[in-house]
Amino acid sequence: MSVALSDLELLLDVAELGSFSRAASLLSIAQPALSRQVRQLEIELKQNLLYRNGRGVSLTDAGRS
């Protein structure tokens, strides 16, 4: 398992802003690409790192760890 620091930084940006779209805008990348990268990180770690709902996202316990 090889988690890149940049993947963790993306996760933190999404969590801090509470939104994939706000984080994508800040990072100047497409929202679907950002979402895919975070989901790939979750798959690699075999953990859900974010709670997703219609109003945004927040970290799960695993995401906080």
Side-chain angles (χ1 to χ4, degrees):
M1 174 171 52
S2 173
V3 175
L5 182 58
S6 60
D7 291 335
L8 296 175
E9 289 170 341
L10 291 177
L11 174 68
L12 287 177
D13 287 335
V14 172
E16 286 176 359
L17 294 170
S19 163
F20 279 98
S21 58
R22 279 184 270 189
S25 179
L26 175 77
L27 298 166
S28 299
I29 60 176
Q31 182 272 325
L34 176 58
S35 183
R36 275 192 304 273
Q37 282 185 269
V38 171
R39 184 65 188 135
Q40 189 58 42
L41 177 61
E42 290 178 314
I43 290 168
E44 190 170 331
L45 295 175
K46 298 181 176 116
Q47 295 280 331
N48 286 329
L49 303 173
L50 295 169
Y51 291 116
R52 294 160 172 83
N53 60 51
R55 300 178 61 132
V57 299
S58 60
L59 288 170
T60 63
D61 288 339
R64 278 190 281 286
S65 295

